């Protein structure tokens, strides 16, 4: 009888201590079988590689307690990039690697990165995303039903078209340029004399193919991976007018449903995936490596690199747009960004 009593006591103690022996096991019982991660682009684009890598690392670092499936092409919102952030807040999407441009209609401060000619180089992007400005924007996002965990990068957006070389603002006059669904982009290209046309990336590629639009602006990794030279994009100008950081985020309720241990694992996975994704997005176009530019030129593309004076002409032509939007974004935030960039090493 005593031995039976001891056995029962031992089993009860084992049941009580099992969760402690298996961290996260009790909490994981309430987890979803699968979490949905949204991206605009899939692999082989760096954006899609980053999202896929985050999902992979989350599974690894949580010992399989959290399983994430990536849905590229913003398929969870029928391809409408500008609705992604709203769907994320509402819980239709659990996680996302999103664009500051696409989320700017809902979070006006994210328009900061789309101010024309604010960021002259990669060090300027880093000065913002990895400094006080980046933290301020993360604190803001944290009030909007999401938990931001890391900054990624889509890259500087360079302009291409099928008609002619672009070396001065007047070269853009009358060109139909596909732009994302942001009023700031409409203002910028209108100021340059172009005819900006808003459409999703899914619609942009056939429009370029048929000549419904003449040109587009995107990072060089997209220019190559999407094979834009085969869609008539034979004139490319490197003008670095805006850059598009990406943000790795989790829906707030989903985040709260995870154990502290798993939250930290997801954050660590995001930071690692983001660092790898940034390195991939800059490969061939930074740190003295111009291999991607050579690859593009080898496809018969006329590549124009603006001189500082040529770039100043574009900057002057868009200054009124910069000033108008700086007021809407928030003068203090813009000033903080300008100061951080000026102080970069």
């Amino acid at each position: 009888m005593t031995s039976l009593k001891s056995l029962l006591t031992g089993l009860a103690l084992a049941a009580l201590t099992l969760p402690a022996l298996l961290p996260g096991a009790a909490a994981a019982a309430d987890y979803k079988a699968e979490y949905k991660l949204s991206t605009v682009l899939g692999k082989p684009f760096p954006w899609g590689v980053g999202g896929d890598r985050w999902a992979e690392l989350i599974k690894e670092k949580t010992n399989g307690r959290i399983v994430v499936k990536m849905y590229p092409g913003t398929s969870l919102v029928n391809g409408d990039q500008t609705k992604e952030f709203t769907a994320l807040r509402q819980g239709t999407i659990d996680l996302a690697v999103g664009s500051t441009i696409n989320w700017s209609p809902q979070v006006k401060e994210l328009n900061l990165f789309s101010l024309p000619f604010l960021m002259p180089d990669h060090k300027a992007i880093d000065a913002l995303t990895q400094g006080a400005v980046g933290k301020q924007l993360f604190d803001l996002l944290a009030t909007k039903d999401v938990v931001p965990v890391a900054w990624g990068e889509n890259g500087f957006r360079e302009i291409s078209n099928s008609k002619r070389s672009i070396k001065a603002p007047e070269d853009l006059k009358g060109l139909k340029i596909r732009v994302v669904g942001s009023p700031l982009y409409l203002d910028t290209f209108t100021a340059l004399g172009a005819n900006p046309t808003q459409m999703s990336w899914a619609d942009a590629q056939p429009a370029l193919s048929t000549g419904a639009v003449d040109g587009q602006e995107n990072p060089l990794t997209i220019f190559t991976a999407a094979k834009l030279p085969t869609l008539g994009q034979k004139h490319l100008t490197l003008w670095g007018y805006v850059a598009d950081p990406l943000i790795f985020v989790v829906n707030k309720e989903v985040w709260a449903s995870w154990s502290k241990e798993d939250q930290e694992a997801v954050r660590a996975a995001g930071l690692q995936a983001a660092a790898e994704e940034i390195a991939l997005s800059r490969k061939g176009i930074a740190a003295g490596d111009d291999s991607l530019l050579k690859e593009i030129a080898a496809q018969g593309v006329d590549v124009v690199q603006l001189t500082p004076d040529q770039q100043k002409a574009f900057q002057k032509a868009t200054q009124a747009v910069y000033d108008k939007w700086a007021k809407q974004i928030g003068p203090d935030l813009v000033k903080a960004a300008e100061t951080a960039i000026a102080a970069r090493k």
Side-chain angles (χ1 to χ4, degrees), residues 14-189:
L16 287 170
T17 57
L18 189 58
L21 294 171
L22 299 173
D30 299 323
Y31 288 8
K32 293 182 183 180
E34 178 185 285
Y35 293 88
K36 297 177 180 179
L37 187 158
S38 176
T39 61
V40 171
L41 298 174
K43 298 192 296 186
F45 300 95
W47 192 337
V49 172
D52 190 66
R53 181 67 172 141
W54 191 22
E56 180 182 75
L57 287 168
I58 287 173
K59 185 175 182 180
E60 176 187 309
K61 291 180 182 295
T62 64
N63 295 316
R65 289 188 294 275
I66 298 177
V67 177
V68 176
K69 181 179 178 181
M70 186 175 81
Y71 290 80
T74 38
S75 54
L76 297 172
V77 284
N78 297 315
D80 189 339
Q81 298 159 225
T82 60
K83 291 182 179 178
E84 185 180 55
F85 188 74
T86 298
L88 183 64
R89 295 186 70 179
Q90 293 172 341
T92 306
I93 295 170
D94 300 311
L95 305 88
V97 180
S99 157
T100 54
I101 299 171
N102 292 335
W103 294 357
S104 63
Q106 289 81 38
V107 188
K108 66 180 176 62
E109 290 83 359
L110 293 180
N111 281 298
L112 174 72
F113 301 101
S114 295
L115 284 174
F117 303 101
L118 169 67
M119 298 168 287
D121 50 37
H122 287 116
K123 288 183 179 179
I125 302 175
D126 294 340
L128 300 187
T129 60
Q130 307 307 315
V133 170
K135 184 181 183 304
Q136 183 178 341
L137 289 170
F138 269 20
D139 288 345
L140 174 65
L141 286 169
T143 68
K144 298 182 182 296
D145 308 313
V146 300
V147 177
V149 301
W151 287 100
E153 189 171 301
N154 195 21
F156 279 103
R157 302 178 74 87
E158 315 295 8
I159 190 163
S160 71
N161 77 100
S162 60
K163 300 293 187 183
R164 54 183 175 264
S165 293
I166 296 173
K167 298 178 181 178
E170 50 266 31
D171 294 329
L172 271 160
K173 189 172 182 180
L175 289 181
K176 295 178 183 176
I177 304 295
R178 176 267 172 180
V179 296
V180 293
S182 163
L184 176 45
Y185 283 75
L186 289 176
D187 285 354
T188 298
F189 280 90

